[in-house]
Amino acid sequence: MDPCQPSTTPSRPPAPPLRPSHTSADPVEVYARLDSITNAVEKHAETICKQLEHRGFFVIDEFLGDDTCAAMRAEAENFHRLGYMAPSQSTRWDPSKKELVPYDKHNVLSMQVQGGVDQYGLSPRLVEYTVGLTESLAPVVAAHFPDSAPLDGTAQSNKLAVCLGDGSAYDKHIDNQGGGDLRKLTVLYYLNRRDWDVDACGGSFRAFSDFNMFSPPQQELGEDTQQQRSTLSPENDGDASFEYTDIDCTGDRLFGFWSDKLVHRVMPSFAPSGYDDYRYALTVWMLVRDVAFISHDADVERRHFGHLDESVDEKATAGQG
């Protein structure tokens, strides 16, 4: 597809209208925006590390501010409108074929934010965010977890994704299941409204509680408990018998977790009001330099994926990405 032409796939919900960018590329303003990301990380560094240590994920609200979040959302919508985003693919285990098979996630589009003259002109804030977050957060986490997560502050991978409603979701999976994958920390930034209506729009991130998520109390971890719900799955739920925490995809929320440990899924999302209810998230994966720092818990994997006869490692990659 020509990236300069809008997508015309008839079965896909329409893209939002093109929004003009008012972001300056003046070097002084660029460095000011990068500094704002560094300052936000420094402000929340203690909370981030404390939450990662105690339960394997962290949640930070009001991370960059509504104006920055709205500007990044507008850039993401422009990528969608201009046809840069393609159907998001994943793999799942086919027991009849006894192999992983690719599939398109229903109503989910994604792309990689790469920078360069073309992309930076369209999305300066998205590019600056991926660079600035990696350079500032990776050293903080590496210093706190030198023996288990010495993150590389010079490298990352990322994905900008949008769920277009009609039940778009991500299957249960673990981001990193080996094979030379160096992703250690997954960090999402939600580009949605602050008043995201989870009852109408869904789209919550479901984190399964193989970590000690419920102790110490959330207040001791330095966070706001709003829009995080911990529970035991009801019997009529597909996640029956698993404890989980549902984390709403509220705008300006930073959410991160260990890529090689947390079993999770994204619940179905809907867009009753159209464009404004599309669920946007920018994921940055922070890397280690050596696969020796990637670890797996076979017991956790068996609990979640061991009901099939095939190997745990093959099943746990279902829904990845």
Side-chain angles (χ1 to χ4, degrees), residues 246-305:
D246 277 352
I247 298 153
D248 297 348
C249 52
T250 306
D252 199 29
R253 169 170 282 178
L254 190 75
F255 168 52
F257 56 91
W258 298 124
S259 309
D260 54 347
K261 293 185 179 297
L262 186 67
V263 179
H264 62 281
R265 66 189 302 176
V266 175
M267 304 306 291
S269 67
F270 304 89
S273 299
Y275 311 131
D276 289 341
D277 291 338
Y278 288 175
R279 179 191 186 277
Y280 281 86
L282 176 55
T283 302
V284 175
W285 285 285
M286 299 189 184
L287 317 177
V288 289
R289 291 188 173 94
D290 191 331
V291 293
F293 294 105
I294 303 300
S295 61
H296 304 111
D297 188 326
D299 290 336
V300 168
E301 293 171 1
R302 271 189 207 92
R303 281 199 296 274
H304 289 276
F305 309 104

Side-chain angles (χ1 to χ4, degrees), residues 18-287:
L18 193 65
R19 299 175 187 255
S21 174
H22 302 291
T23 300
S24 170
D26 179 271
V28 174
E29 296 191 23
V30 170
Y31 283 110
R33 293 194 294 269
L34 290 170
D35 285 344
S36 71
I37 298 168
T38 300
N39 293 339
V41 169
E42 291 176 351
K43 176 182 177 181
H44 298 290
E46 182 179 356
T47 300
I48 287 171
C49 292
K50 186 184 294 185
Q51 291 186 25
L52 279 173
E53 182 174 354
H54 284 285
R55 67 180 190 182
F57 70 81
F58 66 84
V59 181
I60 302 295
D61 286 327
E62 301 179 19
F63 182 62
L64 295 176
D66 289 342
D67 290 345
T68 297
C69 185
M72 292 172 65
R73 166 83 177 213
E75 292 178 359
E77 289 182 343
N78 283 347
F79 274 138
H80 180 193
R81 176 67 179 84
L82 292 171
Y84 280 78
M85 305 183 83
S88 184
Q89 283 203 328
S90 188
T91 58
R92 58 188 165 202
W93 182 253
D94 186 329
S96 63
K97 296 181 178 180
K98 296 187 176 181
E99 63 182 10
L100 289 169
V101 295
Y103 72 99
D104 288 349
K105 296 175 183 173
H106 173 62
N107 263 5
V108 181
L109 306 178
S110 66
M111 62 173 288
Q112 185 174 15
V113 177
Q114 296 178 317
V117 175
D118 182 30
Q119 281 204 16
Y120 185 74
L122 289 171
S123 61
R125 288 181 180 268
L126 293 176
V127 174
E128 291 161 6
Y129 169 83
T130 59
V131 174
L133 186 76
T134 305
E135 291 181 346
S136 56
L137 182 57
V140 166
V141 175
H144 195 85
F145 302 96
D147 298 325
S148 59
L151 301 181
D152 181 356
T154 66
Q156 51 80 27
S157 60
N158 69 76
K159 180 173 68 175
L160 175 64
V162 57
C163 295
L164 305 176
D166 192 33
S168 51
Y170 290 28
D171 293 340
K172 183 195 285 189
H173 66 287
I174 300 172
D175 279 4
N176 185 338
Q177 264 302 304
D181 191 338
L182 294 174
R183 294 179 297 171
K184 184 66 179 181
L185 184 69
T186 303
V187 184
L188 295 99
Y189 183 62
Y190 289 121
L191 306 174
N192 307 312
R193 300 189 312 273
R194 180 79 68 84
D195 61 345
W196 179 266
D197 185 350
V198 67
D199 293 327
C201 301
S204 294
F205 183 105
R206 178 162 292 181
F208 293 94
S209 58
D210 298 293
F211 293 97
N212 187 15
M213 295 178 184
F214 311 111
S215 180
Q218 290 177 336
Q219 291 88 342
E220 293 182 19
L221 294 178
E223 69 180 271
D224 183 354
T225 60
Q226 186 179 11
Q227 297 177 310
Q228 298 177 57
R229 302 172 302 283
S230 301
T231 187
L232 182 68
S233 302
E235 287 304 316
N236 61 352
D237 192 298
D239 298 324
S241 80
F242 294 109
E243 288 187 334
Y244 61 77
T245 299
D246 277 352
I247 298 153
D248 297 348
C249 52
T250 306
D252 199 29
R253 169 170 282 178
L254 190 75
F255 168 52
F257 56 91
W258 298 124
S259 309
D260 54 347
K261 293 185 179 297
L262 186 67
V263 179
H264 62 281
R265 66 189 302 176
V266 175
M267 304 306 291
S269 67
F270 304 89
S273 299
Y275 311 131
D276 289 341
D277 291 338
Y278 288 175
R279 179 191 186 277
Y280 281 86
L282 176 55
T283 302
V284 175
W285 285 285
M286 299 189 184
L287 317 177

